[in-house]
Amino acid sequence: MSVILTEAEAKALLQKVLSYSKADECEVNLLGETRGNLRYARNEVSTSGALTNKNLAVQSAFGKKVGVATIDEFDDASIEKVVRRSEELAKLAPENPEYMGVLEPQQYIKSDGYFESTASVTPDKRADAVAKSLALSSDKKLTAAGFLEDAKGFTALMNSKGLFAYYRNTNVNFSLTVRTDDGTGSGYVAKGYNDFSKLDTAAATKIAVQKSLGSVGAKALEPGKYTVILEPTAAAVLVENIFFGMDARSADEGRSFFSKPGGKTKLGEKIVDERVTFYSDPTHPDLPAAAWSGDGQPQGKMLWIDKGVVKNLTYSRFWAQKKGVKPVPGPNNMIMAGGTATLDEMIKSTKRGILVTKLWYIRSVDPQTLLLTGLTRDGTFYIEDGKIKYPIKNFRFNESPIIMLNNLETLGIPERVVSTETNQNYILPPMKIREFTFSSLSDAV
């Protein structure tokens, strides 16, 4: 049997699994994926890898006693064995007071993130894409290191009440760091797509090469508050911390930025500039996602922050029932609306400021204010009178994405971006921010 099952094949297999169940309720998750990658360093490929995985997870419940067992063998005896094992574990488990039972069948909107251009990638095609990149860095006497990975896969869910959900997708991520021979200049680029034919490794590499050559001879600037232009790669690792914190329960229990004194939350409050809108949409053409959440709840287009105002927080089914509201599953993608300015136009409109390519080593300082710290990296540049004047030494920053999005000057054109901290893909604009706080210098390149 193939690793990537069609909807009909997945349905037939899950029906067979459920036919063995003797529990009060049973839910079965199935996933299959094939991944291929090339890792490269010092201008040559260092490893070539492939991974194939097919996995079945069976959750059985007797009342509120729940057990889960997983397996990656698919003969009838193995399937029956994993169902029995999940039932044994359920009977041994203490009652879970928050178990909500399985859902009735649901209606899902149509979303599709599967592209044949990615599904049909061969090792040769992967090597060609990387060779185009490495040739450009070698020609400039630069040293390149990076990673290219493509994947195709599917997930499916079925339960004993007749709910069935299926989604298949493809993905490719490309990342590259380019250093000068003496190690004093560094540039970085990352690109992510569902459609391999959109990946232009040569064009991406030219950006990293330009930043690497341009960052040689960095000068030290005094730490302090500066106007900054964050490229989407730099912005992603900050604003994703807002997305991760949008849980109603932690807000209600006083454990997050979205909490207010007296057990209240910031739902309905304006927390950032009115130009800021975050939404999720499984059908977005540039960032498609499954139209159902892990427990089978439908996903549609959802506004999270609209014109600066918190419109929704995520509610698990248990917490929603406790609070007497509708459940809101966590999103499968996140998109930030932007403006019309290009990065060049944002630079031209800046009297004095700093262009930031990448931020890394992000750590939480204070969850209640979302205060974060980290470092700039791989190309940080001083802007004067609308032009990039010279490269500057890296900074440590201390900043909250909430304060940052209240000090917003300009939003650029949104683009798909890969978070260097979590590898998640988002759609975000470059952003120009007033009074961004750099707290100290860093000697790292």
Side-chain angles (χ1 to χ4, degrees), residues 284-309:
H284 194 290
D286 294 323
L287 193 65
W292 47 280
S293 61
D295 61 358
Q297 290 184 76
Q299 295 260 18
K301 184 171 179 180
M302 173 74 76
L303 273 169
W304 297 94
I305 293 177
D306 184 29
K307 298 184 177 68
V309 176

Side-chain angles (χ1 to χ4, degrees), residues 262-301:
K264 295 189 171 67
T265 74
K266 292 177 182 168
L267 204 52
E269 284 196 10
K270 182 172 176 293
I271 59 163
V272 286
D273 189 286
E274 54 275 359
R275 287 168 289 178
V276 175
T277 293
F278 294 131
Y279 67 97
S280 53
D281 181 4
T283 66
H284 194 290
D286 294 323
L287 193 65
W292 47 280
S293 61
D295 61 358
Q297 290 184 76
Q299 295 260 18
K301 184 171 179 180

Side-chain angles (χ1 to χ4, degrees), residues 18-333:
L18 284 168
S19 73
Y20 292 111
S21 175
K22 295 176 182 173
D24 295 346
E25 290 188 332
C26 187
E27 181 175 282
V28 189
N29 278 277
L30 176 65
L31 78 83
E33 63 175 348
T34 302
R35 294 175 176 271
N37 66 67
L38 278 183
R39 188 183 301 277
Y40 32 99
R42 295 184 174 179
N43 291 343
E44 58 185 39
V45 171
S46 52
T47 63
S48 170
L51 174 144
T52 300
N53 179 37
K54 195 159 80 174
N55 194 272
L56 187 69
V58 181
Q59 176 183 283
S60 295
F62 295 94
K64 285 186 176 288
K65 293 157 76 76
V66 184
V68 179
T70 62
I71 200 165
D72 58 6
E73 295 173 292
F74 291 85
D75 58 277
D76 289 3
S78 297
I79 289 171
E80 184 172 13
K81 184 177 164 189
V82 75
V83 174
R84 293 287 90 82
R85 181 73 176 140
S86 71
E87 290 169 353
E88 288 164 18
L89 290 168
K91 287 171 180 172
L92 289 168
E95 285 204 346
N96 175 3
E98 298 187 8
Y99 178 67
M100 293 297 294
V102 299
L103 288 164
E104 303 280 347
Q106 305 287 315
Q107 290 292 311
Y108 303 116
I109 57 175
K110 191 84 182 135
S111 69
D112 187 16
Y114 191 88
F115 288 81
E116 199 53 48
S117 63
T118 314
S120 62
V121 168
T122 59
D124 281 356
K125 205 165 182 181
R126 220 172 279 134
D128 284 347
V130 170
K132 282 176 189 161
S133 169
L134 295 180
L136 288 164
S137 47
S138 297
D139 285 351
K140 300 281 187 185
K141 305 282 189 290
L142 301 168
T143 306
F147 194 60
L148 171 69
E149 182 177 54
D150 54 84
K152 59 180 175 181
F154 79 97
T155 52
L157 167 70
M158 188 181 276
N159 70 29
S160 50
K161 286 187 178 172
L163 179 144
F164 175 68
Y166 173 90
Y167 180 70
R168 64 175 191 162
N169 73 318
T170 54
N171 196 58
V172 56
N173 275 5
F174 170 75
S175 61
L176 178 71
T177 302
V178 178
R179 290 275 173 103
T180 55
D181 262 359
D182 62 3
T184 64
S186 185
Y188 177 83
V189 69
K191 297 288 178 184
Y193 304 99
N194 292 77
D195 180 356
F196 192 90
S197 67
K198 287 186 175 176
L199 175 63
D200 185 341
T201 51
T205 302
K206 283 172 185 168
I207 294 167
V209 164
Q210 183 186 0
K211 285 181 182 288
S212 176
L213 293 168
S215 60
V216 174
K219 300 177 183 180
L221 276 194
E222 280 296 311
K225 289 185 182 289
Y226 288 89
T227 293
V228 297
I229 297 172
L230 299 176
E231 294 195 13
T233 303
V237 296
L238 299 181
V239 298
E240 71 183 353
N241 284 276
I242 302 176
F243 311 153
F244 300 156
M246 298 190 79
D247 171 57
R249 184 173 187 170
S250 56
D252 286 328
E253 293 178 344
R255 294 184 284 116
S256 86
F257 164 77
F258 292 94
S259 305
K260 277 175 68 179
K264 295 189 171 67
T265 74
K266 292 177 182 168
L267 204 52
E269 284 196 10
K270 182 172 176 293
I271 59 163
V272 286
D273 189 286
E274 54 275 359
R275 287 168 289 178
V276 175
T277 293
F278 294 131
Y279 67 97
S280 53
D281 181 4
T283 66
H284 194 290
D286 294 323
L287 193 65
W292 47 280
S293 61
D295 61 358
Q297 290 184 76
Q299 295 260 18
K301 184 171 179 180
M302 173 74 76
L303 273 169
W304 297 94
I305 293 177
D306 184 29
K307 298 184 177 68
V309 176
V310 182
K311 287 292 186 185
N312 282 290
L313 297 173
T314 65
Y315 281 84
S316 68
R317 288 167 62 214
F318 168 76
W319 199 249
Q321 185 187 63
K322 191 174 171 73
K323 291 292 178 180
V325 297
K326 284 173 75 172
V328 180
N332 287 339
N333 65 8

Side-chain angles (χ1 to χ4, degrees), residues 330-407:
N332 287 339
N333 65 8
M334 194 61 89
I335 299 121
M336 181 176 173
T340 56
T342 64
L343 195 63
D344 282 348
E345 285 167 351
M346 290 166 85
I347 292 167
K348 276 180 188 150
S349 69
T350 304
K351 180 87 176 132
R352 276 184 83 242
I354 292 170
L355 175 66
V356 179
T357 298
K358 181 181 172 186
L359 298 172
W360 76 298
Y361 218 115
I362 310 301
R363 294 293 181 268
S364 175
V365 178
D366 178 13
Q368 296 285 359
T369 60
L370 281 184
L371 183 64
L372 304 168
T373 190
L375 298 146
T376 66
R377 185 175 181 173
D378 297 319
T380 311
F381 302 94
Y382 179 64
I383 303 163
E384 194 173 271
D385 297 328
K387 291 193 176 76
I388 292 177
K389 278 295 228 205
Y390 48 78
I392 56 173
K393 285 197 170 184
N394 286 308
F395 285 113
R396 172 169 290 282
F397 71 86
N398 280 66
E399 193 58 86
S400 160
I402 299 293
I403 293 168
M404 175 179 105
L405 291 177
N406 276 298
N407 287 337

